Amino acid sequence: MLRALQVTHVTGERPRVAWSYTEDSSDLARGLRTLSRAHPLRGVSLASVLARTQYRLVSTELDELPREEWAGAVRWRLKEQVDFPVDDAIVDVLGVPQDTQNRATQSAIALLEPQSEANKLSLAVDDAGLRWTAIEVPETGLRNICALAETETQAHALIAFGNEHALLVITLGGELVMTRTIEVASAALTGSEEARGGAVGRAGLEVLRTLDTFERTHSKATLSGLSVALPGGAASMAEVLADLVYVPVKPLELGQLIDVSALAAEPDKVEALSSLESLSLLGAALRPASQARGCQQINMQDAEHPQGAAVSWGAMWGLRAAVAVLALGVLVSIAMSVGSKRLDTTATTLEAQLGPLQAVTASMPPPPDLNKLNELRKGEALQRRLSEALDNATANVSQGYSEYLMALGRQAQPNVWVTGLVVQQNGRQLTLSGRMTDPGFLPAYLSRLENEAQFKGRRFNQVEIGSVTSEMAGDQHLTTFSISTEDPAKPATPGAQARKQEAAP
C-alpha cells in the first residue's frame, strides 16, 4: 500500500494538508511513477517513512562523546542486538533531553537500518526519476505531531493505532523522550464489545507502564496529558483509556493543529489521517517546522551516497545506458574478430618464412673465418626478431574485451558513468574514462573494481580530472575523469612512482 500526502508551510499559519493519496501498490517505483502523474513532484521535497520491518530502534546510553561520534559508538555497541550486519548499516542517533534526569550518562535512542533496505529505497526513487530529501521512521514522524499538542514547559504523550500495531511517544520541547510499540491493531478497537474491551485493556496497561517508567526516569519533568488518535467508530475508547491511566486523556483534535480544509469534500480521507500510518507521514511532512524549532533530525540515508547529491536518471536513462554498453560490446567484438583473422594470416606467413631460415642456419658448417661468423650472427638476430614478432602476433589474438565490459557492468554505480575503455598491449595497459557527480566517488569506485579479476592488482598512475555541464542532468556540473594504468613492461621513473602513489585509491 502506497500512502502519500503533501503539506505546505506558511510562516505564522498552521501547516496545511494540500492533498492525500492512496494506492494499492506493492512496487514502490511503479507507485511513485503513478503518483507523479497524479500530482507533480518535480522540485518538491520528498520524505519517506520506513516500515516497522525496515529498521531497528534501541534505547542505549553513551559516554561523554561529541555528537558526531555517537553513530560510530552505537554501531559497534549494538552489533549483537540486531539481526543484520552493522558494518555498512545506516545508523542515526537521537539524544534524550538530559535536564529532566538524574543520570550522569547520556541517554539516547539509536536507529539502525540494513544497507539492503536503504538500497531498495534508493533504487525505487531513482527508477521513478525522483530523489529523497529525507527518510524518517514512524517514531520521529509521530513525535512532530505530538510536539504540536505540548504545553510550553510540560511533556506530552500521544498514542496512535495502525493496521498492525499501536505506537506511543512522549515528547518534551519537541524532542523524542520515550517510545513504546504496543501490539494492539486498530481493527481490534472496532470489533465486538468483548474484543474491544480486551484490546483497550492491553493498550491501557502498556500505556500505564510507559508513563510510570517516564516518571521514574524523568523525575524533573511533568506530563500534561495523553492524546489518543483513534480510528473511526472507536472514539469512545478514549473514555475507557481515561479510566485506566492517571493523566488527562483526550482525543487528538487534528483539525485544531493542522489545516485539513482542503480535504473537506472527502470525509473518508480526513478520517484516515487519524491512523498511525497517515500520522507518521503527516509528521514526516512537518520536518521543516521541527527543524526550524531547533529539534534533532534524523535521515536514514547512506551518508556516502546521499540522494540529494545524485542525479535522478530514472529507468529510461538506465535502459539507454545499458543499450549503449551492449552496442559498444558488439562493435568491439566485430573489430576483434576481423583483427584476429588478419593476425592469424600474418602468423602463418611468418611461420612459413621462419621454417626455411631455421633449416639453413642449422645446416651451416662452422665458420671458417670472421666473415662467416658475422653472417651467422646476422642470421641469428633475424631469427630472433621473427620469433618475437610471431609470439606477439599470436598473443594479441588471445585477449578480448568482453570480460572487461562485464566486470565494469557488475560494478556499475549510480553516481559514476563509464564513457570509454581502451585496452592496449594485450591487456597490460588500460585507460578508463567517464563522468561522476562528485570527485569523492572515484576512490570508492576504484576500490570496488579491485574485486574483479580483470582489475585486481591494477594501479592507476595517470589521472586527469575535468568538469562538464550536462543538459540531461538539468545543466548540472559533472566531473570528468580519465585514468590509465602503468605498462608493467616499462620501469617506472621516480616521477612516475610519485604520480602512481598519488593516484592509488
Side-chain angles (χ1 to χ4, degrees), residues 161-404:
F161 293 83
N163 293 334
E164 299 179 354
H165 63 282
L167 184 62
L168 171 68
V169 297
I170 301 177
T171 63
L172 176 62
E175 298 288 3
L176 185 62
V177 177
M178 191 170 292
T179 178
R180 181 184 291 271
T181 299
I182 301 173
E183 301 300 334
V184 175
S186 57
L189 303 178
T190 57
S192 64
E193 183 177 352
E194 181 179 355
R196 290 199 306 270
V200 174
R202 293 195 304 274
L205 180 60
E206 293 296 329
V207 171
L208 186 60
R209 289 174 175 172
T210 306
L211 299 184
D212 286 342
T213 303
F214 171 79
E215 285 197 341
R216 290 195 308 271
T217 307
H218 302 272
S219 57
K220 297 180 181 180
T222 58
L223 195 63
S224 63
L226 169 68
S227 295
V228 184
L230 291 168
S236 61
M237 293 299 101
E239 300 177 2
V240 180
L241 282 173
D243 294 334
L244 297 175
V245 299
Y246 52 84
V247 298
V249 178
K250 63 178 182 179
L252 177 67
E253 299 292 344
L254 191 60
Q256 296 180 5
L257 306 175
I258 298 174
D259 183 359
V260 295
S261 58
L263 306 180
E266 302 174 282
D268 56 329
K269 290 189 175 182
V270 176
E271 183 177 308
L273 290 178
S274 297
S275 68
L276 170 60
E277 292 80 11
S278 295
L279 285 176
S280 298
L281 286 178
L282 184 57
L286 295 177
R287 179 186 177 96
S290 175
Q291 196 166 9
R293 191 177 177 181
C295 299
Q296 301 174 84
Q297 305 298 319
I298 67 162
N299 194 351
M300 305 300 290
Q301 294 193 85
D302 192 341
E304 295 183 0
H305 304 92
Q307 282 286 327
V311 178
S312 298
W313 294 98
M316 184 57 69
W317 292 114
L319 179 60
R320 291 177 180 176
V323 172
V325 171
L326 179 60
L328 176 63
V330 172
L331 292 175
V332 170
S333 298
I334 294 174
M336 286 298 298
S337 177
V338 174
S340 297
K341 291 181 179 178
R342 292 178 178 175
L343 289 174
D344 286 341
T345 302
T346 302
T348 302
T349 302
L350 290 174
E351 287 179 348
Q353 295 175 354
L354 182 62
L357 181 60
Q358 289 177 331
V360 170
T361 56
S363 61
M364 291 181 66
D369 52 31
L370 188 59
N371 292 332
K372 293 287 187 179
L373 179 61
N374 290 335
E375 290 179 3
L376 287 175
R377 288 175 177 174
K378 292 180 180 178
E380 182 183 6
L382 176 60
Q383 179 181 0
R384 185 166 53 253
R385 289 196 298 271
L386 289 174
S387 178
E388 290 175 355
L390 178 61
D391 291 341
N392 289 337
T394 307
N396 286 335
V397 183
S398 63
Q399 183 67 31
Y401 290 85
S402 59
E403 293 299 323
Y404 294 98

Side-chain angles (χ1 to χ4, degrees), residues 109-131:
I109 298 173
L111 300 156
L112 301 93
E113 176 192 11
Q115 183 67 51
S116 58
E117 297 294 341
N119 290 342
K120 291 178 184 177
L121 287 173
S122 178
L123 291 174
V125 75
D126 184 72
D127 192 39
L130 303 169
R131 66 185 184 188

Side-chain angles (χ1 to χ4, degrees), residues 58 74-84 86 112:
V58 183
V74 163
R75 183 187 302 274
W76 302 113
R77 179 175 297 181
L78 303 181
K79 64 180 180 179
E80 302 297 335
Q81 299 187 36
V82 296
D83 54 357
F84 54 81
V86 301
L112 301 93

Side-chain angles (χ1 to χ4, degrees), residues 311 313 321 413-420 433-437 478 481:
V311 178
W313 294 98
Q413 296 294 303
N415 300 306
V416 180
W417 303 273
V418 175
T419 59
S433 58
R435 297 182 179 183
M436 52 193 168
T437 57
L478 302 178
F481 67 89

